[in-house]
Amino acid sequence: MAAADPVVHVRPGDRTEADPTPGIVREQAIGVEGLWAGVAHTAASATSAWPHHGNYETAIYVASGRLRMESGVGGRDVIEAVAGDFLHVPAGAIHRESNPDDDESQLVVVRAGHGPPTINVEGPA
């Protein structure tokens, strides 16, 4: 990238489905060296499998709906987030997301790091 490079406009129809984890639909908007950005949709009452994001630090903004995040030993650390909340998922943190709401939740996800952005595993430590 150079100072003369133009700004890129990514419309909803330009996003591509990426990094599948059962229970979550992720759409990549931006994928460049060191940065991944997109959205994630979780259906009403759905629960995801257990992923981690390798060497990526992840910031999540709850755009609409609710997010229940389980992490830590045995998945015992639980955060209940609502629209307007941010969460930080440290690199390598195994977690599971669920949507306890009656409507789909929508998250804005931004990751900084390198390597594969999503690694699905059997469960928490």
Side-chain angles (χ1 to χ4, degrees), residues 19 30-38 53-60 87-92 108-118:
D19 306 318
I30 300 165
V32 297
E33 181 63 35
L35 176 69
W36 187 102
H53 301 291
N55 292 316
Y56 282 85
E57 297 288 331
T58 301
I60 297 172
L87 285 82
H88 170 235
V89 181
V108 175
V109 182
V110 178
R111 296 192 176 100
H114 62 279
T118 300

Side-chain angles (χ1 to χ4, degrees), residues 74-122:
R76 290 184 289 222
D77 295 320
V78 177
I79 295 173
E80 299 278 347
V82 297
D85 289 350
F86 276 93
L87 285 82
H88 170 235
V89 181
I94 297 171
H95 60 284
R96 176 169 69 178
E97 302 171 28
S98 60
N99 175 5
D101 218 349
D102 293 332
D103 296 310
E104 177 183 83
S105 67
Q106 295 187 2
L107 313 174
V108 175
V109 182
V110 178
R111 296 192 176 100
H114 62 279
T118 300
I119 300 157
N120 297 307
V121 297
E122 291 298 316

Side-chain angles (χ1 to χ4, degrees), residues 1-45:
M1 307 262 324
D5 287 348
V7 172
V8 176
H9 184 183
V10 180
R11 293 176 173 87
D14 298 334
R15 297 188 303 237
T16 57
E17 196 165 325
D19 306 318
T21 294
I24 302 173
V25 174
R26 293 187 188 94
E27 296 176 2
Q28 178 178 304
I30 300 165
V32 297
E33 181 63 35
L35 176 69
W36 187 102
V39 295
H41 307 272
T42 305
S45 304

